[in-house]
Amino acid sequence: MAVADSTHPQLGVTMTPQTTALESGNSVSVSLQASDAAALLYTVVRASGSFAFTDSADASYASNVQRTVKIQLPASASLTTALKIDVVTANVGGVVTTQSLPILTVVDTAHPAVTGSLTTTHSAGGAAPGDHLTLTVTGTDRRKLAY
């Protein structure tokens, strides 16, 4: 006699901190609680969009699973693409439940650094009429400069 589990597993998900924007180096923790009347096969936390991340765990036929996954935003994450986080669980009958967290924006709020130097062709230091002056400006950013 075959036993089937055709009901959806229950899935509760929270994210801390509760935010709508992340920047390079920030992280969020995704906590999940999955349960099923029969047994669970696995849980998956997946990020897509501005960067890809997957963390999966075998549920070992448990009827209740709790775990927390920390996702840290890499410096290479795209600023032009939103970050989507999905949490998935499946039971022994192959029935899948998915919950999506609110879409996150990837931002860069750190100011770029600017340095400058002024040089002259005047041999005694300082400047005199007719000297050529060179102004050099250098900008750096932990991600990328727009201009």
Side-chain angles (χ1 to χ4, degrees), residues 1 13 18 35 48 64 73 83 85 91 109 117 125 133 137 139:
M1 170 192 272
V13 180
Q18 292 183 348
S35 61
S48 60
N64 192 358
L73 191 72
L83 178 63
I85 300 174
N91 66 18
T109 59
S117 66
L133 300 175
V137 178

Side-chain angles (χ1 to χ4, degrees), residues 53-68:
F53 170 91
T54 302
D55 184 288
S56 60
D58 183 355
S60 301
Y61 300 102
S63 60
N64 192 358
V65 172
Q66 292 180 337
R67 69 188 191 101
T68 299

Side-chain angles (χ1 to χ4, degrees), residues 9-15 30-33 44-46 84-89 96-102:
Q10 298 296 310
L11 182 59
V13 180
T14 58
M15 179 180 69
V30 177
S31 298
L32 68 92
Q33 179 173 350
V44 177
V45 176
R46 182 178 302 121
K84 183 175 191 248
I85 300 174
D86 296 315
V87 180
V88 181
T89 190
V96 175
T97 299
T98 302
Q99 187 170 341
S100 296
L101 293 170

Side-chain angles (χ1 to χ4, degrees), residues 22-27 70-75 142:
L22 291 174
E23 63 182 300
S24 181
N26 287 162
S27 63
K70 183 178 179 178
I71 302 172
Q72 185 163 357
L73 191 72
R142 65 182 183 181

